[in-house]
Structure formats: structure tokens, C-alpha cells
Amino acid sequence: MKLDLIRYQLIIKIKMEDQIKEAKAIIEKTSDILVLTGAGISQESGIPTFRGEDGLWRKFRAEELATLEAFQRDPKLVWEWYEWRRGLSKEAKPNPGHYALVNLENGKPNFTLITQNIDGLHQLAGSRNIIEMHGNLWQIRCASCGIVEENHDVPLNELPPKCKNCGVHGRPNVVWFGEMIPMPVIDNILIAIDKCQLMLIVGTSGVVEPAASIGLVAKHTGKTVIEVNIEPTPNSSLYDLSILGKSGEILPALCSTV
Ligand code: BV8
Ligand code: ZN
């Protein structure tokens, strides 16, 4: 039994090394690259993912709190959740996966990073051409006059925070479930898919739409798509390569000699 396990682990390791070699060769000869990241890339920075076993806050799941209805019903509870996440993100540092993407961006003439994450770690690592498709944890949008304020206070001096302009309470400047992704963001995503030759999809469960369809649109329009995740996702079999491993280990191996 033990021997079988060792043999199985060896086969997986050899498969992963072959996949990394194949993916590196593709990356090296490609000039236009698009990357999509999800919560998994921040997991090694200590930020819990949404759907992993550490994805609960008190007894709530993200889908129960990240909605306009939850906010209207209990703005203070929703803000306490975001306050908790702001605290985690403030402590978090970018990990080798974030820095590998900065290295990739520095080595390629055309590079776009779409992130579903709102933690700001890609910016902190030095990524430049970023599309934050679900917003940003460090911005507060006024529910009335709509102004957006950059605010990194942890803790916030009051919950919910008040708009400096009109005094109405603000909301996190993020896209909640049931809310549309702003059209200019969708336009930029479609342009980035059209322009790229290769797409990397890193650390996302491929559950939330429309983010989950970005890789499928890329595949459908003839792009090469490589996934990096610690486990298979619903779309893994549709991609050209699905490399099983931690992004903090795989991405530096893929992007080292760019
Ligand atoms: C919309 C911001 C129009 C807030 C978030 C079909 C079409 C369109 C919409 C829908 C549709 N079907 C259903 C919908 C509605 C909904 C939806 O998708 N629901 C899901 C639950 C089924 N979508 C919407 O409402 C979107 N709006 O489309 O408007 C509309 C409106 C109403 C009805 C119809 C249409 C808006 C969605 C945006 C929601 N906001 N975040 C906040 O953060 O507080 S979503 C949130 O979860 C994240 O931003 C992220 O995008 C998303 C998914 O999370 P992941 O990043 O994938 O993280 P997860 O934990 O799931 O997975 C982590 C992965 O990492 C795992 O695979 C794990 O294996 C891996 N991993 C872990 N560690 C590592 C690792 N990988 C590598 N290395 C590691 N170390
Ligand atoms: Zn206001």
C-alpha cells in the first residue's frame, strides 16, 4: 500500500514537471499574455479563500454577506466582515506567486492581469496593468453621492463609515453577488482576451460568473489556456494544461527565465 502511494506521488511529480516544462516553453515564445487570478493566489499570503474550509466568517458564507440585500438588512454586520478582511489584508504580504506575475509582466510587451481579488496584493507586489473586476477592499463608495474614497484605516473609525462629502454611510467599493460588473470593466476584459495569445488562470474555483467564463471565451477564440490550481476545477478538462500545485511554487517555476 505504502509503495503504491510513493509510486503514485512520483507519477504526479513527474507529470507536473513535464507540464511545467511544456508551459514554460509556451510562455517563453509568447509575447501577449493575459492572467486571471482568484482567491487561491492570496491563500499563501494568509488570506482565506472563499470556498476552502477556512472560508467561513463567524457562521456566514461569502454569498450570504457579499450582497446588496445583506448590506441593506444589516450594514454593520457586512462592514464587520469587511473590517475583518481589511485587517487580514493589511497584515498580508504578497507571496512568490504575486511576484512571479510581476516578473512576467516586466518581461512581456503585452500583459494584462485580471483579478477577482479585492485585497490589493497584486498592486503591492508591483503589478501594473491590473483589471480589478470585483472592486477593491481599500475603497469606500458613497451609497448616495457615489464618490469613491481610498481608505486604508484599520480599524475604521466608525462602522459603517460616513461619506466625507455628504455624510451618508458608505459601502465597500466592490461588486456584490447580483450586481453587474461595470460595463467599462467588461469591455476591457473582452479587449484583453482578444489581444492575448496565452491565458493563465490561477487560484480560482471557476464557480463565480462571469469571471468563470473568461477562460472559456479565451479557449473558444483560439487562445492557449493554462490553469494553475491545487485541485481540478469544473473547466480544467477544457484547458490546454491544468497544472496541479500551489501558485506560490508553480508560478515562479513558470515565470523564472522570462
Ligand atoms: C453578475 C467581490 C449579472 C466581493 C465577489 C451566470 C451569469 C452571470 C451571473 C451569474 C450566473 N450564474 C450565477 C450568477 C450570479 C453570481 C454567481 O456567479 N453566483 C455563483 C455563486 C454561482 N454572479 C454575480 O452575481 C455577478 N454579477 O453576473 O451580474 C447578473 C446579476 C444577477 C443574476 C444574474 C446575472 C457578480 C459576481 C461578483 C461577486 N463578488 N467578490 C467580495 O470579495 O467581498 S465574488 C468572490 O468569489 C471573489 O471575488 C471571487 O471572484 C469569487 C470566486 O472565488 P475564487 O476567487 O475562485 O475563490 P474560491 O475560494 O472560490 O476558490 C479558490 C481557489 O483557489 C480554489 O479552486 C482552490 O483550489 C484554489 N487554491 C487555494 N489555494 C491555492 C489555490 N490555487 C493555487 N495555489 C494555492 N495556494
Ligand atoms: Zn456621499
Side-chain angles (χ1 to χ4, degrees):
M1 178 59 177
K2 198 147 165 22
L3 205 58
D4 285 349
L5 187 63
I6 294 168
R7 193 177 298 127
Y8 174 72
Q9 283 165 340
L10 198 61
I11 292 169
I12 293 286
K13 192 167 172 330
I14 293 168
K15 181 175 180 225
M16 186 174 84
E17 279 160 6
D18 288 350
Q19 287 181 314
I20 288 177
K21 224 182 278 159
E22 191 182 344
K24 263 172 78 86
I26 296 169
I27 289 172
E28 271 152 27
K29 67 176 187 335
T30 306
S31 54
D32 299 6
I33 296 182
L34 171 62
V35 179
L36 168 69
T37 60
I41 197 168
S42 295
Q43 194 269 339
E44 291 163 77
S45 297
I47 297 183
T49 61
F50 284 83
R51 287 162 194 84
E53 63 284 348
D54 54 0
L56 273 174
W57 174 74
R58 293 187 194 163
K59 56 183 185 338
F60 297 103
R61 298 214 62 76
E63 285 83 358
E64 296 169 273
L65 294 169
T67 68
L68 183 61
E69 295 70 32
F71 183 71
Q72 287 168 335
R73 193 173 48 246
D74 190 343
K76 193 160 179 306
L77 174 72
V78 172
W79 264 112
E80 283 167 355
W81 179 48
Y82 280 96
E83 179 87 308
W84 173 69
R85 293 172 70 188
R86 287 164 64 97
L88 282 177
S89 299
K90 188 116 187 175
E91 291 304 308
K93 299 273 172 290
N95 65 61
H98 293 103
Y99 290 116
L101 294 182
V102 177
N103 189 39
L104 188 58
E105 180 168 16
N106 292 339
K108 293 294 172 188
N110 275 308
F111 178 95
T112 303
L113 169 59
I114 301 170
T115 188
Q116 300 173 80
N117 302 338
I118 62 173
D119 56 33
L121 287 184
H122 284 302
Q123 289 86 333
L124 215 52
S127 288
R128 297 182 303 280
N129 192 17
I130 303 173
I131 299 174
E132 288 184 308
M133 72 179 289
H134 290 156
N136 186 303
L137 193 57
W138 302 111
Q139 293 171 353
I140 297 170
R141 185 169 87 230
C142 175
S144 162
C145 70
I147 65 153
V148 175
E149 176 211 344
E150 192 78 20
N151 178 314
H152 289 253
D153 298 345
V154 173
L156 284 161
N157 55 25
E158 60 178 328
L159 287 185
K162 285 214 174 32
C163 167
K164 288 199 170 59
N165 182 43
C166 72
V168 168
H169 66 229
R171 57 164 282 178
N173 190 29
V174 298
V175 178
W176 279 328
F177 289 102
E179 292 186 320
M180 302 287 281
I181 311 284
M183 272 327 284
V185 172
I186 295 287
D187 290 344
N188 289 337
I189 288 173
L190 292 174
I191 291 166
I193 296 172
D194 187 44
K195 234 172 53 181
C196 82
Q197 294 149 346
L198 166 66
M199 183 173 177
L200 301 180
I201 299 179
V202 182
T204 180
S205 58
V207 163
V208 170
E209 293 293 357
S213 295
I214 294 174
L216 302 182
V217 172
K219 197 66 213 120
H220 191 68
T221 50
K223 320 299 173 154
T224 304
V225 180
I226 298 172
E227 182 184 54
V228 175
N229 199 309
I230 53 170
E231 61 189 11
T233 66
N235 297 335
S236 297
S237 58
L238 305 172
Y239 298 144
D240 298 274
L241 273 175
S242 177
I243 305 175
L244 293 182
K246 289 184 162 188
S247 49
E249 293 161 13
I250 302 289
L251 289 180
L254 294 185
C255 309
S256 51
T257 55
V258 164

